[in-house]
Amino acid sequence: MTAPHRKRIVIVGAGFGGIRLALKLARRRLPYTRIILINDKPHFEYHAALYRVVTGHSPLETCVPLRDIFAHSPVEILEDRIVGVDLQKKELRGNSGSRYEYETLVLALGSETEYFNIPGLKEHSYGFKTVTEALALKRHLHEMMVTVSKVGTMDEKVKAAHFLVVGGGASGTEIAGDLAHYAKKIATPHKLDSSIVPIDIIEAAPRLVPMLLPKFSSRVESRLRELGVNIFLNRTVVKEEIETVHLKDMQLQTQTLIWTAGIRAHRLLGTIKDLETDKKGRAIVDEYLRAKGQEDVFVIGDGAATMYSGMAQTALYDADFVAERITEATLGNRVWRLKYIPRKPWYVIPTGHHWAGAQIGNLLFFGHIGWFLRRLADFRAFQMLMPAGKALATFMSTSKFSETCPLCETEKNH
């Protein structure tokens, strides 16, 4: 007797949305289905905590093996980078050369760094969009401290120690605030005066975190200035050379430019024939988060053109919504009960050691209360993706430090 065909539900991307969706569908035990999760890495990366990897914390919080998350789940995990999607044939093409067929496809691809075709920017800047990038930036910061200790003149020292953050959104303010503390910390074992380590942040808008309330922006700006961060508003980068950053009306000397000003939807979306995208490269979706004109293709998280895409909370919310729609379709329900209604997320932005600003609706919280809300959100995110014990262990790993610089490691142990 021939075994019945099992419907292939293929999820591309193991970020918050992809993992949450796979877990929820697996728990439903839908009849005659296979749940296949394809990701280009064997682990989940918690992007919201990557700035802490740059400033000396353990990467364990940001990097969780998928095998741990799906240890007792029927989800099939495949490691491959999808480089092509054929909506007509219902087939995916992997970088490995493999082909993957599907009956239902969910694109949970996340986002990528956008450099806006600024000359020299990609080649000469640093980011922390991945664990690999975050570790490379941390290594560079320590290398710059060694350089500062060896160069002769004060002008050379200041140029080498100058850290420039471009982009005053959430990521930019987070890294600038933490750098203000971390730079002083690592200057000591290198026998440097921390006062010669300038940290600047540049934002094209008239205020930092411009997507939030003006009062929120004002408090974050005040906090950064208290930490010694120099703030330049209404400025845009037009070119970067090896040691010079060109703005529209000024130049800055630096060997460390940290780029956080550009994010776009994953480029794969723009290569898919018959998939409509908006100006930001996000897929146009209908009221059920299906790609426009496609009955069996859903798009969730950063890649969907919805009101609050780009937030981890939105990706989790999208995953829950699509899990219900796929369940209904699998069970033969032709009329779906609920349409997608965007949910406004919380915004919690750490700015320096144990300080954060939080905006929940129109309510604002700052300082230690804001920091507590951020850590609560971190733990809640892990709890939604893994068993309680594993979530707690991952969450607690953030209190650990991990330095590879011999001088800083020696100082820490004394």
Side-chain angles (χ1 to χ4, degrees):
M1 182 175 179
T2 303
H5 174 73
R6 292 199 295 160
K7 178 180 178 181
R8 286 164 296 222
I9 302 171
V10 178
I11 304 166
V12 182
F16 275 111
I19 292 175
R20 175 72 170 174
L21 176 60
L23 289 171
K24 292 214 74 169
L25 290 174
R27 292 176 189 137
R28 301 291 170 83
R29 303 287 178 179
L30 298 173
Y32 307 117
T33 59
R34 293 173 60 192
I35 303 166
I36 303 167
L37 178 64
I38 304 176
N39 195 51
D40 60 354
K41 301 180 185 69
H43 56 267
F44 160 72
E45 292 189 351
Y46 185 33
H47 294 155
L50 284 173
Y51 77 96
R52 291 200 287 265
V53 174
V54 176
T55 54
H57 289 265
S58 169
L60 294 176
E61 180 191 19
T62 63
C63 189
V64 184
L66 294 177
R67 65 176 180 272
D68 289 353
I69 297 174
F70 294 99
H72 304 291
S73 168
V75 174
E76 302 171 41
I77 302 171
L78 301 178
E79 185 179 345
D80 202 353
R81 179 167 63 89
I82 298 302
V83 295
V85 179
D86 190 324
L87 300 179
Q88 298 300 319
K89 294 181 179 180
K90 292 192 172 184
E91 183 182 80
L92 310 175
R93 177 168 53 88
N95 190 56
S96 65
S98 298
R99 305 272 175 166
Y100 309 98
E101 296 179 344
Y102 66 85
E103 276 77 35
T104 298
L105 174 64
V106 183
L107 298 171
L109 293 163
S111 56
E112 297 179 336
T113 302
E114 174 63 84
Y115 295 98
F116 304 113
N117 296 317
I118 298 173
L121 185 58
K122 185 174 182 179
E123 295 79 10
H124 301 308
S125 66
Y126 290 85
F128 50 99
K129 187 68 176 169
T130 66
V131 171
T132 301
E133 288 182 342
L135 291 172
L137 175 54
K138 182 176 76 168
R139 183 171 61 252
H140 172 77
L141 297 179
H142 288 270
E143 289 172 351
M144 284 301 96
M145 289 296 175
V146 173
T147 299
V148 174
S149 66
K150 291 181 178 180
V151 296
T153 69
M154 183 56 67
D155 285 346
E156 291 175 323
K157 288 181 180 293
V158 171
K159 183 171 68 173
H162 184 193
F163 299 148
L164 178 60
V165 179
V166 181
S171 296
T173 52
E174 286 171 356
I175 191 66
D178 241 34
L179 268 180
H181 171 75
Y182 187 62
K184 294 177 181 178
K185 177 183 172 183
I186 63 176
T188 300
H190 289 277
K191 296 180 171 48
L192 297 174
D193 181 354
S194 61
S195 66
I196 68 167
V197 185
I199 298 171
D200 298 346
I201 185 168
I202 295 174
E203 168 57 37
R207 57 188 176 92
L208 298 181
V209 284
M211 69 285 194
L212 301 182
L213 294 174
K215 185 177 179 181
F216 188 100
S217 297
S218 179
R219 286 294 299 273
V220 168
E221 288 176 21
S222 296
R223 168 64 175 173
L224 286 175
R225 293 187 195 280
E226 290 171 4
L227 295 172
V229 177
N230 305 307
I231 301 173
F232 298 87
L233 302 174
N234 296 302
R235 312 271 184 166
T236 55
V237 174
V238 295
K239 183 172 68 171
E240 189 195 356
E241 296 171 345
I242 293 177
E243 295 183 357
T244 304
V245 179
H246 298 263
L247 308 182
K248 279 190 174 180
D249 54 356
M250 64 184 295
Q251 295 180 8
L252 295 172
Q253 298 294 312
T254 181
Q255 294 180 28
T256 308
L257 186 149
I258 303 171
W259 178 255
T260 71
I263 294 293
R264 57 158 290 140
H266 198 286
R267 285 170 172 77
L268 178 63
L269 294 174
T271 69
I272 302 174
K273 185 181 178 181
D274 297 327
L275 187 77
E276 291 191 43
T277 57
D278 66 5
K279 292 180 180 179
K280 297 181 180 180
R282 304 176 303 176
I284 306 296
V285 293
D286 66 11
E287 63 268 32
Y288 300 111
L289 290 185
R290 294 178 301 193
K292 184 178 178 181
Q294 304 296 326
E295 292 291 322
D296 299 308
V297 180
F298 295 85
V299 186
I300 64 175
D302 297 3
T306 60
M307 186 177 298
Y308 301 115
S309 68
M311 300 288 292
Q313 298 162 65
T314 301
L316 291 167
Y317 176 68
D318 290 359
D320 288 347
F321 177 84
V322 169
E324 294 297 329
R325 306 293 76 78
I326 290 178
T327 298
E328 289 180 320
T330 303
L331 296 178
N333 297 340
R334 295 182 178 274
V335 180
W336 294 350
R337 296 180 296 110
L338 298 177
K339 295 182 179 181
Y340 183 76
I341 300 175
R343 177 185 290 175
K344 191 172 185 177
W346 292 15
Y347 295 91
V348 189
I349 301 177
T351 312
H353 192 58
H354 287 184
W355 195 100
Q359 179 178 313
I360 304 173
N362 290 323
L363 297 176
L364 301 180
F365 303 91
F366 299 98
H368 288 293
I369 295 176
W371 177 258
F372 172 77
L373 291 172
R374 172 54 186 261
R375 298 306 290 144
L376 182 65
D378 289 338
F379 178 67
R380 176 59 178 155
F382 290 127
Q383 197 176 34
M384 294 180 77
L385 298 182
M386 58 190 79
K390 179 64 178 176
L392 182 60
T394 303
F395 174 76
M396 293 301 292
S397 68
T398 189
S399 62
K400 300 176 182 178
F401 288 87
S402 175
E403 293 290 8
T404 56
C405 170
L407 285 174
C408 296
E409 185 66 25
T410 300
E411 181 74 14
K412 183 186 74 172
N413 294 329
H414 280 77

